[in-house]
Amino acid sequence: MSTPPTFDGFLDTSDKRLVFFDANEPEFASVSVPTVKTRIRFWIDHLREPENVVIAFG
């Protein structure tokens, strides 16, 4: 990405799984990860009401 991420940090993933959800869906995606701590970065196009979100993990 050409801009710094909105968030860049680590999540505890003790079950080696990332689960994605929003206000409308309790779980709309999940992915297995190889470790119990996972680096995640995301970029959004608006701080309060984003329409586009890009997520990178690993």
Side-chain angles (χ1 to χ4, degrees):
M1 301 294 300
S2 61
T3 61
T6 306
F7 175 83
D8 184 354
F10 287 85
L11 296 178
D12 290 326
T13 50
S14 57
D15 60 355
K16 295 186 177 179
R17 201 171 142 223
L18 281 175
V19 178
F20 300 91
F21 60 92
D22 66 11
N24 299 315
E25 293 287 329
E27 178 180 329
F28 64 83
S30 66
V31 64
S32 296
V33 294
T35 60
V36 296
K37 280 215 179 268
T38 303
R39 183 180 181 194
I40 187 165
R41 292 168 287 164
F42 64 82
W43 294 259
I44 57 176
D45 61 352
H46 190 273
L47 286 176
R48 296 193 63 175
E49 296 178 12
E51 290 185 20
N52 296 295
V53 178
V54 175
I55 301 169
F57 61 90

